[in-house]
């Protein structure tokens, strides 16, 4: 099972919106509405930002939103802030054989 | 508030077995509908799911690691453990334990340990 494909880097200016894509296959992203997104600052553990494609855990800013179309999921960060600069990973459930597959990761830079 | 903490040797010799423990505090490992996972991250690289343990004790593993992985639970100590056999340098990584709460953020990892670095070297 290959990793989900994410762009290596995305950048934006403060206040702007950016979108990170996460492309999988019909065996993972395309089959299940079970995509989650994680934010990871350097030297820190990942933090859950989005689950079940669109849901936000309590405490996560509503500037973060998720969506999915076909085999591609997306994370949008609106009103970009300096603190959003981090690595972001998507993850999809892939059925009872593979279980979970992570994305390749995207480095978000706030210009 | 539930917290996870990994522990174990930071250095393992090639061909030996890597053993790590995740201690759960602030809640019972066996209450609720929880899956407890191990996830690793080589330095500067992405995340890889290793396997998981269900509250009942049943396990599931990443097919690419299945032949070398064992995850087990010790409910008396509120801990679960990872054993990875026949390690090579490719197993050098930060190892995280994490929780999947089926009653909450299902099929996602809502609580993570801080991670522990394991280096495979002679």
């Amino acid at each position: 099972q290959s990793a989900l494909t994410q762009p290596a880097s995305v950048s934006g200016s403060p206040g702007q919106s950016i979108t990170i894509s996460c492309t999988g296959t019909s065996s993972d992203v395309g089959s299940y509405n079970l995509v989650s997104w994680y934010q990871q600052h350097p030297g820190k553990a990942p933090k859950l930002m989005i689950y079940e494609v669109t849901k936000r855990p309590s405490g996560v800013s509503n500037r973060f939103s998720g969506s999915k179309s076909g085999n591609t999921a997306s994370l949008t960060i609106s009103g970009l802030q300096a603190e959003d600069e981090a690595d972001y990973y998507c993850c999809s459930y892939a059925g009872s054989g593979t279980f979970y597959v992570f994305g390749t990761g995207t480095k978000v830079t706030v210009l | 508030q539930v917290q996870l903490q990994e522990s174990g040797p930071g250095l393992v010799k090639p061909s030996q077995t890597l053993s790590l423990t995740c201690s759960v505090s602030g809640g019972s490992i066996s209450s609720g509908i929880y899956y407890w996972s191990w996830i690793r991250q080589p330095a500067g690289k992405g995340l890889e799911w290793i396997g998981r343990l269900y509250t009942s004790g049943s396990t599931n593993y990443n097919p690419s690691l299945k032949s070398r992985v064992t995850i087990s639970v010790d409910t008396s100590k509120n801990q679960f453990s990872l054993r990875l056999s026949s390690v090579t340098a490719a197993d050098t990584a930060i190892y995280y334990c994490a929780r999947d709460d089926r009653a909450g953020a299902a099929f996602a990892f809502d609580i993570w340990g801080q991670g522990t670095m394991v280096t495979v070297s002679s």
Side-chain angles (χ1 to χ4, degrees):
Chain A
Q1 182 76 24
S2 298
L4 307 176
T5 300
Q6 297 180 233
S9 63
V10 173
S11 62
S13 299
Q16 287 186 331
S17 293
I18 61 169
T19 296
I20 304 167
S21 61
C22 169
T23 302
T25 70
S26 57
S27 297
D28 39 62
V29 175
S31 285
Y32 305 96
N33 289 324
L34 296 173
V35 176
S36 52
W37 288 90
Y38 302 85
Q39 176 191 66
Q40 187 179 35
H41 287 110
K44 300 295 187 182
K47 174 186 176 185
L48 178 64
M49 305 302 285
I50 295 288
Y51 67 99
E52 293 179 26
V53 178
T54 62
K55 298 179 181 179
R56 272 189 314 274
S58 175
V60 171
S61 171
N62 60 10
R63 298 185 299 104
F64 292 84
S65 62
S67 62
K68 192 187 90 167
S69 177
N71 297 336
T72 299
S74 299
L75 174 71
T76 297
I77 309 175
S78 58
L80 199 61
Q81 300 180 359
E83 67 207 50
D84 300 331
E85 188 161 290
D87 292 327
Y88 291 82
Y89 294 92
C90 61
C91 180
S92 176
Y93 181 69
S96 59
T98 303
F99 298 99
Y100 296 97
V101 59
F102 280 94
T104 51
T106 298
K107 181 175 181 58
V108 169
T109 301
V110 181
L111 302 172
Chain B
Q1 180 175 340
V2 174
Q3 293 185 309
L4 307 181
Q5 177 70 59
E6 305 88 350
S7 61
L11 181 64
V12 181
K13 288 181 166 50
S15 80
Q16 293 191 342
T17 296
L18 177 161
S19 295
L20 297 175
T21 294
C22 181
S23 297
V24 180
S25 60
S28 171
I29 196 171
S30 56
S31 67
I33 308 174
Y34 301 130
Y35 282 88
W36 304 94
S37 281
W38 286 97
I39 295 163
R40 69 181 182 179
Q41 183 175 35
K45 296 188 178 180
L47 299 162
E48 180 181 34
W49 179 77
I50 298 170
R52 69 181 183 184
L53 174 83
Y54 184 49
T55 302
S56 66
S58 65
T59 53
N60 301 115
Y61 301 124
N62 184 323
S64 68
L65 299 169
K66 186 175 182 178
S67 63
R68 300 193 292 128
V69 175
T70 302
I71 297 176
S72 59
V73 64
D74 187 337
T75 54
S76 66
K77 294 183 178 179
N78 223 33
Q79 296 175 337
F80 64 105
S81 298
L82 169 71
R83 288 174 56 86
L84 181 66
S85 64
S86 305
V87 296
T88 69
D91 295 310
T92 294
I94 297 173
Y95 285 76
Y96 295 99
C97 55
R99 187 187 80 169
D100 169 2
D101 178 6
R102 289 304 161 91
F107 294 90
F109 308 105
D110 65 337
I111 297 176
W112 295 65
Q114 64 183 30
T116 187
M117 180 68 201
V118 178
T119 301
V120 178
S121 175
S122 55

